[in-house]
Amino acid sequence: MKIYLDCYACFLRQALNAARLAGGDDEQQYKVINSTLKLLQNIRPGTNPPEIARSVHKLVRDEISAADPYKEAKAVSTQQALAIYPRLKALVNDSDDPLGIAIRLSIAGNIIDLGVKDYYDDLWDTVEKVLSQPYAIDDEEKLCARLSEADHVLFIADNAGETVFDRVLTEVLQIPVTYAVKKYPTLNDATMEDAVAAGLGQSVRIISNGTDAPGTILSLCSEEFLKIYKLAPIIIAKGQANYETLSNAGPKVFCLLQVKCPVIGKDINAPVGSIVIRQSK
C-alpha cells in the first residue's frame, strides 16, 4: 500500500507516544520529534507505511535506549484478553458454526492496536459488536474453502493481546498451524514472548519472521520464514500493517482486520469501524 499524506501526522503521534511509554524526558521527546520530522522529509518514493514505521520506532528505541517501549502495555492487553478467554471459548463451543465464530473473534481481537491510537475499546463490547455486524468485504467462503483443502496454514500475527483471540481460532482449525511473530519489538506487535504468554505454544508452532518491522515486509524477513511462507498453501495475515504489506501478495493470502483509520479505509474501500476478510490480489 502506498503512503498517504495523513500518514505523516500519524507517524509523529506514534513517535511521541512511544517516547513517553519508554520513559523519555521532555528533552528526549523533543529529540525524537525532531529526528522523526527529518526522517519524514527524506522518505524515498514508493516507501510503504510499515517501512517508515519501522524506522520511526527504531529511532525512538535508540534515542531513549529502550528495548521495548510497549512491554508493559503488551502484558496488560494479554492479561485482559486471557481474562475473557473462557467466554470466547464458550462462544465457539456453543455455536453451530464454530469456525465462523472463531474467525470473527480473531478479527475482534484486532481492536488491540496502539499504532492507531494510545487506547482501545472495551474488549467484550468489541466482541459483541463484531459478532453482530456484517463484513464490509466478505471473502469468508473463499477462506473456508481454502482451509478445507490445505494441509497446513501459516498464520501471521499482529498485536500482543490479539494473540489470545488468534489462539481461539487456531484451536478450531483442523490442520497444523505455524504462527509467525516479530523477532524484535516494534509498537505493540507480538513477539515470541507475547505469543507464549497468550498460551499459543500449546497448540501451534511459533516462529519469528526475523524482523522488527510492522506488517510483513518480505524483503526484510529471514530465509527460514520466507521458505515457510512460499510453501504455505494458505496464509492468514492479521491486522492493518499486514494488509499494507500483503494486500497484493496473491490469492493464497487472506487479510483479516478491523478498519481503524481512514487511510486504510480509503485504500481498502471500506468504512472505519468495519470488519474485513479480504483475499489478496
Side-chain angles (χ1 to χ4, degrees), residues 6-272:
D6 302 81
C7 297
Y8 288 79
C10 187
F11 289 131
L12 285 170
R13 181 194 55 76
Q14 283 187 24
L16 181 58
N17 189 47
R20 288 171 172 167
L21 284 174
D25 57 29
D26 287 349
E27 182 179 353
Q28 288 174 313
Q29 292 176 35
Y30 175 80
K31 288 181 179 179
V32 163
I33 289 296
N34 223 15
S35 298
T36 302
L37 285 168
K38 292 177 182 177
L39 185 154
L40 294 175
Q41 289 175 335
N42 294 285
I43 293 173
R44 302 186 316 275
T47 305
N48 67 25
E51 290 177 301
I52 302 166
R54 180 194 186 215
S55 298
V56 168
H57 288 279
K58 182 178 186 304
L59 183 157
V60 174
R61 294 194 302 271
D62 290 348
E63 177 63 44
I64 304 180
S65 299
D68 189 357
Y70 291 83
K71 186 178 181 64
E72 183 177 347
K74 291 193 294 179
V76 168
S77 64
T78 299
Q79 289 304 311
Q80 289 174 341
L82 285 170
I84 64 170
Y85 171 77
R87 299 170 73 185
L88 302 176
K89 290 289 290 183
L91 287 171
V92 172
N93 294 337
D94 295 341
S95 172
D96 294 332
D97 180 18
L99 178 56
I101 292 296
I103 290 170
R104 282 181 174 270
L105 293 177
S106 180
I107 293 172
N110 188 232
I111 198 66
I112 305 174
D113 185 346
L114 298 178
V116 176
K117 52 188 178 182
D118 58 4
Y119 67 93
Y120 46 86
D121 297 339
D122 179 83
L123 296 184
W124 194 254
D125 286 349
T126 301
V127 166
E128 293 181 329
K129 175 186 174 185
V130 170
L131 287 177
S132 63
Q133 72 184 114
Y135 287 109
I137 299 173
D138 186 1
D139 285 336
E140 181 181 10
E141 187 174 337
K142 296 177 182 178
L143 169 62
C144 292
R146 288 247 176 178
L147 284 171
S148 69
E149 297 168 354
D151 61 353
H152 68 283
V153 57
L154 172 61
F155 197 125
I156 303 179
D158 191 13
N159 303 308
E162 182 178 348
T163 46
V164 175
F165 292 80
D166 294 342
R167 174 184 168 188
V168 175
L169 176 52
T170 64
E171 290 170 345
V172 169
L173 297 175
Q174 300 298 309
I175 53 178
V177 178
T178 298
Y179 193 78
V181 296
K182 302 297 187 294
K183 183 171 184 178
Y184 307 106
T186 187
L187 277 164
N188 67 316
D189 287 21
T191 62
M192 187 77 69
E193 179 182 357
D194 301 314
V196 170
L200 274 154
Q202 301 172 28
S203 57
V204 306
R205 173 193 178 197
I206 307 172
I207 64 167
S208 87
N209 69 0
T211 79
D212 62 350
T216 303
I217 303 172
L218 294 175
S219 61
L220 300 178
C221 291
S222 67
E223 290 185 11
E224 176 194 11
F225 173 82
L226 289 175
K227 181 178 180 181
I228 293 169
Y229 179 93
K230 291 172 182 176
L231 292 175
I234 181 171
I235 298 168
I236 294 174
K238 287 293 302 297
Q240 293 190 149
N242 276 318
Y243 167 76
E244 290 174 300
T245 50
L246 296 175
S247 60
N248 294 309
K252 75 175 183 178
V253 178
F254 288 82
C255 295
L256 278 58
L257 65 145
Q258 291 190 46
V259 178
K260 300 181 291 287
C261 85
V263 169
I264 297 292
K266 179 179 179 180
D267 195 85
I268 203 172
N269 194 27
V272 171

